[in-house]
Each structure stands twice: as C-alpha cells, then as structure tokens.
Amino acid sequence: NFTGEFFTVTTTFNGGRWDINDLRSLDPGDDLNDAISSLQIPAGLTVRACQHGGFNGECTLLTGDVPSLLGLTTENPPATFNFNDQISSLQISETP
C-alpha cells in the first residue's frame, strides 16, 4: 500500500550498499533507519534487507515492489518476520 516512509532502490550509491549511517543521512532531516515501510524495486534488481546495521540480524531477499514490509520470510532459518520500521541496511544487486 506504500504508506509511511518508502525507499526507491537504486544501485548508483555506494555500489548498492546502504548501511545504517547511509540511511540516516540520505536526506537531511529524514532519517530512514528503522523507518522504511515499503520498497520500490525496479525490475532486474534484488534487495537484501536487514534488520541491523552491517547487514546483520534478520534479513530477507526481495524482488519487485514491496508495498508492505509486514510478514516477510527471513533468509536463515526461514521464518515470518515484521520488517516494517526495522530495516537498518540494504544490499542491492542485479537479479541473476
């Protein structure tokens, strides 16, 4: 539903690596750390979204737009996790 803070994915920044400090300083006055509620992901890209900085904590792999970060499946072990307002790092790569 793309309500709340959203993030439009691009590979042009930091080679596709957005860590906690990058999300905090992306837009002056708009700290996106632990504030993202949806992701807009262009075709051909995959996003690994992680709960903590340094690409740690619960992580999930995403392709395509994600209008809500509620109830997504984690990487290891697979489980349901609420990533809404929990993301502190993102890795963007080309989908193989």
Side-chain angles (χ1 to χ4, degrees):
N1 58 14
F2 295 104
T3 59
E5 292 287 346
F6 71 92
F7 184 85
T8 301
V9 172
T10 176
T11 59
T12 60
F13 181 83
N14 279 357
R17 295 176 60 89
W18 300 75
D19 207 346
I20 190 169
N21 290 327
D22 302 317
L23 293 174
R24 284 183 172 150
S25 64
L26 181 64
D27 184 14
D30 191 17
D31 182 352
L32 292 179
N33 176 56
D34 289 343
I36 298 172
S37 297
S38 59
L39 292 167
Q40 293 179 321
I41 305 170
L45 297 180
T46 297
V47 173
R48 182 172 183 253
C50 298
Q51 175 188 21
H52 300 308
F55 312 98
N56 293 304
E58 298 292 348
C59 296
T60 188
L61 289 176
L62 306 167
T63 56
D65 289 347
V66 183
S68 173
L69 295 172
L70 298 172
L72 300 179
T73 302
T74 59
E75 285 181 311
N76 293 311
T80 301
F81 186 78
N82 176 11
F83 284 91
N84 186 62
D85 295 343
Q86 296 287 319
I87 294 174
S88 293
S89 54
L90 299 163
Q91 287 179 291
I92 298 105
S93 59
E94 292 184 12
T95 303

